[in-house]
Amino acid sequence: PWAAARTHTVVLLVTVVGTAYAGIRRTLLEVLGSGKSVSENLDFYTTGIDLTAAAIGVGLVITLAGLAVGTAESV
């Protein structure tokens, strides 16, 4: 039961992080697009956002692989 609990915890964690990221990304892009005084080069900000999305995607892939392994072990 502990392996299943750990797997479900990680799935929940990735879901929460992904949801929080989506909200923060939207808010940040709205502020950057509003014309307020920020750096002239918006790529500085969007590159960091994109790299964060890539890291969350890698975490999701690892989580899904762990979930598949856990399911295969229980069979």
Side-chain angles (χ1 to χ4, degrees):
W2 289 109
R6 282 191 302 268
T7 302
H8 287 102
T9 301
V10 171
V11 169
L12 181 63
L13 180 64
V14 168
T15 303
V16 169
V17 168
T19 304
Y21 166 77
I24 292 169
R25 181 181 189 273
R26 180 181 169 135
T27 303
L28 183 61
L29 290 177
E30 282 181 12
V31 169
L32 292 174
S34 68
K36 291 185 179 180
S37 176
V38 293
S39 173
E40 291 180 15
N41 189 2
L42 294 179
D43 289 339
F44 174 78
Y45 299 103
T46 57
T47 301
I49 293 171
D50 294 341
L51 289 174
T52 303
I56 293 172
V58 169
L60 179 63
V61 168
I62 291 170
T63 300
L64 292 176
L67 187 61
V69 169
T71 302
E73 285 179 345
S74 67
V75 170

